[in-house]
Amino acid sequence: MSSKDKENGWYEGINSNGEHGLFPGKNVELMMDTVSHPEIEETCDIDSNYEELDAVEIRSKKSSSYSDTSESIDQDYEMIIPEPEDKGEGNEQSPKRTNRLYQFTKTQAEPFISGKTVKTTTKIQLAFNEYGASWVYPTVPLECIVTNPQIETKYSGMKKYISYQITPNDTNVSVYHRYKHFDWLYGRLLEKFGSSIPIPLLPEKDVPWRFSEDFIQARMCGLQIWINRISRHPVISQSEIFQHFIRKKDEKEWKTGKRIAEKDEAVGGMVFSEIMPSSEFKLLDGEEAEKCLTFAKCMGESVRNLITVTEEHMARCTGALKSEYIKIGRAFSDLSASFGKSTYHGKGSIENALSFVGKTYDDIGNLHFDQPKKDAHSLIEISKEYKGLLTCFPDIINVLKGALEKAHEYEKLAHTNKVTLKEKEAIVFRAGIVSSAIEAEINHFNYELTSDYKVTVQHFLYEQVQMYNKITDKLREAYARFEF
């Protein structure tokens, strides 16, 4: 809810947590549906509520939705208030933030395949080998380190936000970005590359305790994982938009680069216009496309199941399993105490040995309790990352299928002399660009998938071995106490 100070152009508002504050109305654009939303009467400060509001969906603006002359970095987002859906009498469905702003269909690449051209200075090269097309990788892999989170203020301290230091390995020159800049980058990458490359999801934003130390560290870890994936991609990491994000320190240069990125015409299906020509482009067949889609769906189900099973295992280790070992330990300790009440002269040895067994099972319970953060946590994190990536593939395969269908359509038309051979060859060539680019991404994705799970599961098993070795050592030591 908000009310406007018409004299000064500022707004007084209440966010979803009941906190009061002032914010400048010029920094936001409110797009109201015909449905009345009494909880948001006029407008809200996106900058101050961007990470707080649950009642709206916030998404990156496209360049056509606002004036290019604006220099305010805080005008980069708009609020879309969705129309509520009836869920029975008196109930409304709460709007949720969507992680994917765009969907790509079979017709996404048709303008490019049909010969539409756009202005672009970027050139993406493909290589070809016995396994098909592949991206060309940089000689020195790019790495970006996210560190040094800082709580900063603006509007004379009325607005707080967290910025993170980003340092690329090739220059060691740092820049600072806040979460909404990452979200802006995510939206631009998805719009530009999402038709052929799965874009990893950002960590969630809507949390009321976002200035707590634990949250700041967890978000920084999530942003590090996200930027690691982007930095390793041979196309995205070298793109103008990502290079702009990790290089530009000057605020004016940053804003200018943002405006240029938002005007980019080589987005969606037109991103294929940036692929450098080659005589080795080829069309995948429909069966290969279906196999890729089947694999993505099957892998997605397996990854979701692994997340569920591993989370249940973590819950047992930190709950029931630890409790069971403590119960066993207590039972042996009680038995030891009972021996202590005996008048038998040889009671000391058995009493001490049983007491040690009790402590041993307490220790084993604690080992199980501490273990998930050493192994299961990393397994869950990589699986959640791939869960998001795999949801992108149906759209990507749709684009591929559309290109293949267009090529086959023109081959049939040429066979019946309804189009010229030259027209058919042009269509097939450009469809081959789409097909080869997506094949390159599929090969890259499969390599990353294999490598990541090899390293992660190997680490998981190593830590499991270490834990059970400790358990074995403790049990052997307890066993030795009974040699009297």
Side-chain angles (χ1 to χ4, degrees):
M1 182 182 299
S2 65
S3 60
K4 184 177 180 181
D5 179 350
K6 299 184 183 297
E7 228 179 85
N8 301 313
W10 285 73
Y11 288 76
E12 178 183 3
I14 306 173
N15 65 19
S16 61
N17 299 321
E19 299 169 333
H20 292 254
L22 295 176
F23 46 86
K26 69 178 183 178
N27 290 342
V28 298
E29 174 185 355
L30 181 65
M31 299 180 64
M32 296 296 295
D33 290 334
T34 56
V35 177
S36 173
H37 291 265
E39 73 275 17
I40 305 177
E41 293 180 354
E42 292 184 1
T43 185
C44 296
D45 173 22
I46 294 302
D47 197 37
S48 62
N49 289 300
Y50 176 60
E51 293 178 322
E52 297 172 1
L53 288 176
D54 293 323
V56 297
E57 173 193 347
I58 301 171
R59 73 181 183 194
S60 301
K61 287 186 177 180
K62 295 184 180 179
S63 58
S64 60
S65 62
Y66 60 97
S67 170
D68 297 327
T69 60
S70 170
E71 288 296 320
S72 172
I73 197 169
D74 296 319
Q75 287 185 330
D76 299 332
Y77 295 91
E78 62 183 350
M79 289 195 306
I80 305 300
I81 304 178
E83 184 174 342
E85 299 178 7
D86 290 335
K87 302 292 286 185
E89 185 178 334
N91 292 327
E92 292 183 348
Q93 183 179 10
S94 299
K96 294 182 180 180
R97 175 179 184 253
T98 56
N99 283 311
R100 285 179 60 77
L101 306 181
Y102 310 97
Q103 289 186 332
F104 301 93
T105 64
K106 283 186 177 182
T107 60
Q108 194 73 36
E110 274 196 14
F112 166 72
I113 295 172
S114 298
K116 179 182 176 181
T117 59
V118 294
K119 294 179 181 179
T120 178
T121 58
T122 304
K123 294 299 178 184
I124 301 171
Q125 188 176 358
L126 292 179
F128 296 86
N129 53 40
E130 66 270 26
Y131 303 109
S134 68
W135 302 121
V136 175
Y137 291 79
T139 305
V140 179
L142 178 65
E143 294 179 8
C144 294
I145 306 300
V146 182
T147 54
N148 195 24
Q150 298 180 355
I151 297 178
E152 301 184 19
T153 62
K154 61 191 305 185
Y155 304 138
S156 301
M158 288 190 298
K159 164 63 185 168
K160 290 198 302 183
Y161 61 89
I162 306 163
S163 64
Y164 301 86
Q165 182 179 358
I166 304 161
T167 310
N169 64 331
D170 54 355
T171 63
N172 287 322
V173 177
S174 299
V175 297
Y176 282 85
H177 285 296
R178 53 195 296 192
Y179 181 92
K180 81 168 194 177
H181 297 163
F182 280 90
D183 198 49
W184 172 86
L185 176 63
Y186 169 78
R188 299 275 72 79
L189 292 178
L190 183 60
E191 184 182 24
K192 182 173 180 64
F193 295 109
S195 62
S196 57
I197 297 171
I199 307 300
L201 299 177
L202 281 170
E204 287 297 324
K205 66 175 180 66
D206 292 318
V207 283
W209 54 88
R210 70 187 186 285
F211 296 119
S212 71
E213 184 63 28
D214 287 345
F215 170 74
I216 291 172
Q217 292 301 317
R219 169 170 282 181
M220 184 174 70
C221 181
L223 293 175
Q224 181 68 71
I225 291 171
W226 187 84
I227 209 167
N228 283 348
R229 179 73 58 186
I230 297 298
S231 299
R232 288 201 305 269
H233 197 282
V235 173
I236 300 178
S237 65
Q238 304 304 309
S239 65
E240 290 183 4
I241 184 173
F242 185 68
Q243 290 290 315
H244 171 75
F245 181 79
I246 63 173
R247 309 285 186 201
K248 298 302 180 184
K249 297 179 64 176
D250 179 75
E251 185 175 344
K252 187 174 181 180
E253 287 184 347
W254 162 249
K255 292 178 181 178
T256 301
K258 287 171 81 271
R259 302 298 179 254
I260 292 172
E262 288 159 357
K263 292 179 182 178
D264 189 2
E265 296 179 352
V267 297
M270 293 308 299
V271 73
F272 299 105
S273 62
E274 296 184 341
I275 304 292
M276 294 177 64
S278 171
S279 60
E280 298 187 73
F281 292 141
K282 69 169 187 176
L283 293 171
L284 294 173
D285 61 42
E287 187 177 343
E288 289 176 288
E290 284 297 335
K291 286 180 179 178
C292 290
L293 185 58
T294 300
F295 168 75
K297 289 180 177 179
C298 181
M299 180 59 69
E301 291 174 3
S302 297
V303 165
R304 287 192 293 273
N305 181 59
L306 182 61
I307 292 170
T308 300
V309 170
T310 309
E311 286 180 338
E312 290 173 352
H313 171 72
M314 287 180 64
R316 284 195 299 272
C317 286
T318 56
L321 194 56
K322 178 182 177 180
S323 297
E324 288 300 315
Y325 279 107
I326 289 176
K327 286 179 183 178
I328 296 172
R330 186 178 298 119
F332 279 112
S333 296
D334 290 345
L335 185 60
S336 171
S338 296
F339 269 101
K341 298 182 185 300
S342 171
T343 58
Y344 177 57
H345 66 86
K347 68 177 183 180
S349 297
I350 188 68
E351 180 185 358
N352 292 336
L354 287 169
S355 176
F356 189 84
V357 172
K359 182 179 181 305
T360 296
Y361 278 95
D362 282 347
D363 291 344
I364 291 174
N366 288 326
L367 283 173
H368 281 288
F369 180 85
D370 294 334
Q371 189 62 21
K373 61 188 177 186
K374 298 178 181 178
D375 51 28
H377 178 74
S378 59
L379 189 59
I380 288 175
E381 287 303 308
I382 196 67
S383 297
K384 286 182 176 179
E385 191 177 357
Y386 274 103
K387 175 185 173 183
L389 291 170
L390 286 160
T391 61
C392 303
F393 269 97
D395 281 1
I396 294 172
I397 300 302
N398 262 338
V399 175
L400 172 59
K401 286 182 176 179
L404 299 179
E405 289 173 5
K406 196 71 174 177
H408 295 327
E409 175 190 343
Y410 268 73
E411 286 173 342
K412 290 178 182 178
L413 291 173
H415 187 67
T416 57
N417 296 319
K418 292 182 179 179
V419 297
T420 66
L421 182 62
K422 185 176 181 181
E423 289 173 325
K424 185 266 290 185
E425 288 177 346
I427 293 292
V428 171
F429 179 78
R430 286 192 287 269
I433 294 176
V434 175
S435 179
S436 295
I438 291 177
E439 182 184 35
E441 179 54 31
I442 290 171
N443 286 333
H444 170 77
F445 179 83
N446 284 329
Y447 171 79
E448 290 262 294
L449 178 70
T450 303
S451 177
D452 284 340
Y453 270 101
K454 174 191 172 184
V455 171
T456 305
V457 176
Q458 190 176 36
H459 170 76
F460 176 84
L461 294 174
Y462 174 81
E463 292 296 338
Q464 287 277 297
V465 168
Q466 295 299 106
M467 180 188 72
Y468 283 108
N469 279 341
K470 290 176 182 177
I471 291 174
T472 302
D473 290 342
K474 287 182 177 295
L475 291 173
R476 281 177 176 158
E477 188 177 357
Y479 175 82
R481 294 297 178 104
F482 287 85
E483 295 179 348
F484 54 81

